[in-house]
């Protein structure tokens, strides 16, 4: 049955559009982050960095543009880590029994949840990009039309792979847990280091060595690197730091995300094989 | 009964020496039984007797630990996929997504089982008419009454035209009138050829619906048979007596030829008689009067499924599970 995951996807999307408050808040929340945190931070940061040396010929970007990429990543992280919670609800309300007693392969549950999470993340990423540009983030500035299209697809490719990795992780945790409170605890515990040990809000170069190593291999950093490459360009200055990315940097970052998603899928696969829901 | 024989030929569920333990608690302790094609077969027992554990093994949700079990010709361990394709299930608790519509519930189920589009649409219409929910098709399930939810679940269980339909406590928490209607639906489904495996702790339900019953208690099958066979094992009639000296009364009566068995209760005792009870009564009264024993209460009745249950398990069925469930449902609404 090769299309079983579309059934899971269909149902999860029904729930997404049917819970109006959830729908509106999940679309509004990233925009609010950008509006309040972004504008507040950038107005003070941009003042601080005036007077820092400028490299001639290199495009200098404001803080809003810099952290806009971080907000896309953060939103994707939150949405994905919570994406598996539906599995826990289904389990606790007995709905998972119908699915597990059906002939459908259990991998399709994982893929279905993954696909619907990716869809939600795409919608959110696009909203942030559009809203960011509206309030003054210099995404795709100086790009040709073709470069912009490539940029958007590049960002979505990174967002999608990153989202899958964390959705699989979330599904693996959810199928193993008993209570939504426990799941919430674990997820909160995970989001902190993943978000702050990354280049979302500040450069990681001045981190102490230990934190720096963590940050370099953090999937969050890989994602943000990809987003900045496709939204801003391979060569820019932000917060007084000169960023330069080569194509192989970007390929390696993407490869890192693929490895991460493969590992978390393996974890989810194992947890779903083990799951007994009666 | 040639018609019954033809209907009940081939074996469709076969279980031998099935055992299942949770840590050191043996929930299922070596049960063996078989269900024939076209039958309504019931597991009758109190909550915690092991019914749900056994059903969970048969529907492949719980891994088998010991023994063998096959459904529709497929081994539950070796061929779980084939078993899943052959069965329909109505779970003990309501398992409907509150925010999906009646139609979506059935559509989702059909897609889970990989039914082709045309077949799915056609089957949904048939089933909505069968369970009289066609007018509710776009209603979310949280707005349905308890009986409607159960009917929808039965429709869902039938969506894929299963060979065997498993019903785990199908009328738990329903009002008496709705229960009667559920029984009609279940009989109707069965008459169209679907084999039904039912668990219940309601005596009347097992009695009214089943072709055959296995009484299950503490993880074991205590006795199996057709409802009338089970009742006949207690004799033709039951006579309940209370006297001023029960012990002596039992001693005097136990050698009467028509008395097959007796059972002492808290205030009196029950005689199981082989003949028409009304013919035996005068003899009993005479015997006790001659022995100088005074009778304070006397009662004659046909054996019921409750009597069968009490006789073979040694106790009345505990019904606190039912009360709890209906309380929870009522509170949840």
């Amino acid at each position: 049955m090769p299309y079983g995951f579309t059934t899971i996807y269909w149902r999860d999307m029904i729930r997404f559009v049917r819970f109006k408050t959830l729908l509106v808040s999940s679309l509004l929340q990233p925009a609010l982050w950008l509006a309040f945190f972004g504008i507040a931070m950038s107005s003070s940061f941009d003042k601080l960095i005036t007077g820092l040396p400028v490299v001639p010929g290199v495009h200098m970007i404001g803080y809003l543009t810099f952290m806009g990429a971080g907000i896309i990543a953060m939103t994707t992280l939150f949405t994905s880590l919570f994406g598996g919670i539906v599995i826990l609800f289904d389990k606790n309300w007995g709905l998972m029994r119908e699915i597990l007693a059906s002939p459908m392969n259990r991998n399709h549950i994982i893929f279905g949840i993954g696909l619907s999470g990716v869809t939600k993340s795409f919608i959110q990423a696009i909203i942030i990009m559009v809203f960011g540009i509206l309030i003054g983030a210099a995404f795709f500035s100086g790009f040709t039309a073709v470069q912009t299209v490539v940029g958007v697809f590049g960002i979505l490719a990174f967002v999608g792979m990153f989202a899958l990795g964390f959705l699989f992780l979330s599904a693996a945790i959810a199928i193993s847990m008993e209570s939504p409170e426990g799941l919430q605890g674990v997820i909160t515990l995970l989001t902190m280091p993943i978000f702050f040990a990354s280049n979302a809000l500040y450069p990681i170069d001045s981190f102490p060595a230990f934190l720096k190593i963590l940050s370099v291999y953090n999937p969050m950093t890989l994602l943000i690197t990809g987003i900045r490459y496709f939204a801003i360009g391979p060569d820019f200055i932000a917060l007084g730091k000169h960023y330069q990315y080569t194509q192989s940097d970007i390929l390696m970052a993407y490869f890192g995300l693929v490895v991460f998603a493969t590992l978390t899928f393996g974890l989810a696969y194992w947890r779903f094989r083990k799951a007994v829901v009666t | 009964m040639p018609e019954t024989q033809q209907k009940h030929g081939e074996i469709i569920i076969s279980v031998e020496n099935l055992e299942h333990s949770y840590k050191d608690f043996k929930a299922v302790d070596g049960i063996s039984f078989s269900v024939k094609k076209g039958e309504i077969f019931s597991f009758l027992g109190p909550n915690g007797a092991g019914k749900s554990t056994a059903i969970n093994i048969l529907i492949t949700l719980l891994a088998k630990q010991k023994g063998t079990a096959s459904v529709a010709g497929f081994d539950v361990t070796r061929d779980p996929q084939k078993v899943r394709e052959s069965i329909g299930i109505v779970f003990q608790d309501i398992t409907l997504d509150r925010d999906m519509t009646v139609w979506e519930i059935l559509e989702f189920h059909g897609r889970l089982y990989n039914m082709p589009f045309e077949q799915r649409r056609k089957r949904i219409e048939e089933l909505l008419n069968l369970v009289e929910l066609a007018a509710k098709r776009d209603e979310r399930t949280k707005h349905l009454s308890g009986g409607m939810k159960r009917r929808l679940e039965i429709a869902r269980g039938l969506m894929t035209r299963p060979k065997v339909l498993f019903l785990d406590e199908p009328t738990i928490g329903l009002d008496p009138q709705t229960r009667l209607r559920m029984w009609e639906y279940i009989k109707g489904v069965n008459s169209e050829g679907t084999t039904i495996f039912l668990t219940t702790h309601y005596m009347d339900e097992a009695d009214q619906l089943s072709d055959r019953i296995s009484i299950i208690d503490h993880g074991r099958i205590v006795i199996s048979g057709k409802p009338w066979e089970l009742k006949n094992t207690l004799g033709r009639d039951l006579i309940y007596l209370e006297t001023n000296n029960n012990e002596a009364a039992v001693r005097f009566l136990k050698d009467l030829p028509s008395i097959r068995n007796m059972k002492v209760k808290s205030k009196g005792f029950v005689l199981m008689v082989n003949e028409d009870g009304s013919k035996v009564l005068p003899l009993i009264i005479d015997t006790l009067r001659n022995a100088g024993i005074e009778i304070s209460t006397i009662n004659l009745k046909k054996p019921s499924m409750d009597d069968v249950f009490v006789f073979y398990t040694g106790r009345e069925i505990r019904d606190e599970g039912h009360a709890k469930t209906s309380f929870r449902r009522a509170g949840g609404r």
Side-chain angles (χ1 to χ4, degrees), chain A residues 1-12 14-15 18-20 86 90 93-106 275-278, chain B residues 22 56 59-63 81 84-85 87 89 91-101 103-105 107-109 111-114 140 142 156 168:
Chain A
M1 205 175 22
Y3 304 116
F5 66 92
T6 61
T7 305
I8 303 291
Y9 176 73
W10 172 67
R11 173 168 169 247
D12 209 42
I14 287 181
R15 298 169 60 94
R18 199 155 283 170
F19 296 131
K20 292 284 183 285
V86 60
D90 280 356
W93 294 340
L95 305 174
M96 187 54 79
R97 288 188 295 182
E98 179 197 0
I99 301 171
L100 291 184
S102 82
M104 193 183 70
N105 187 308
R106 290 180 180 197
V276 176
V277 177
T278 55
Chain B
Y22 299 104
N56 280 331
I59 64 178
T60 74
L61 277 182
L62 204 56
Q81 213 61 11
R84 289 170 189 163
E85 283 165 16
I87 61 174
I89 309 160
F91 294 103
Q92 182 167 342
D93 301 304
I94 300 283
T95 53
L96 296 173
D97 189 325
R98 293 165 45 83
D99 291 289
M100 283 168 88
T101 66
W103 183 87
E104 284 164 352
I105 291 284
E107 168 74 3
F108 177 71
H109 193 78
R111 287 174 68 163
L112 271 186
Y113 284 73
N114 210 22
R140 296 199 199 170
K142 65 179 165 195
R156 180 175 68 182
D168 197 0

Side-chain angles (χ1 to χ4, degrees), chain A residues 197-198 204 207 210-219 221-222 225:
Chain A
S198 81
I204 58 178
F207 282 8
F210 164 73
L211 199 57
K212 196 169 168 182
I213 291 173
L214 258 182
S215 308
V216 168
Y217 294 104
N218 186 346
T221 302
L222 303 179
T225 302

Side-chain angles (χ1 to χ4, degrees), chain B residues 26 37 53 87 111 113 153 157 178 194 196 235 248 269 298:
Chain B
K26 252 190 188 162
K37 199 174 169 184
T53 303
I87 61 174
R111 287 174 68 163
Y113 284 73
E153 290 193 312
T178 314
T194 310
I196 301 214
F269 55 93
I298 196 161

Side-chain angles (χ1 to χ4, degrees), chain A residues 33 37 70-71 73-75 77-78 190-202 218 220 224:
Chain A
W33 257 90
F37 188 73
I71 297 297
M74 182 196 75
T75 309
L77 177 71
F78 287 176
L190 278 174
T191 44
M192 279 294 190
I194 294 172
F195 181 54
F196 288 108
S198 81
N199 57 357
L201 303 177
Y202 29 67
N218 186 346
M220 187 88 173
I224 293 167

Side-chain angles (χ1 to χ4, degrees), chain A residues 152-173:
Chain A
V152 170
F153 279 102
I155 290 171
L156 294 184
F158 265 81
V159 165
M161 190 50 68
F162 175 87
L164 278 182
F166 280 99
L167 282 158
F168 294 156
L169 180 64
S170 172
I173 297 170

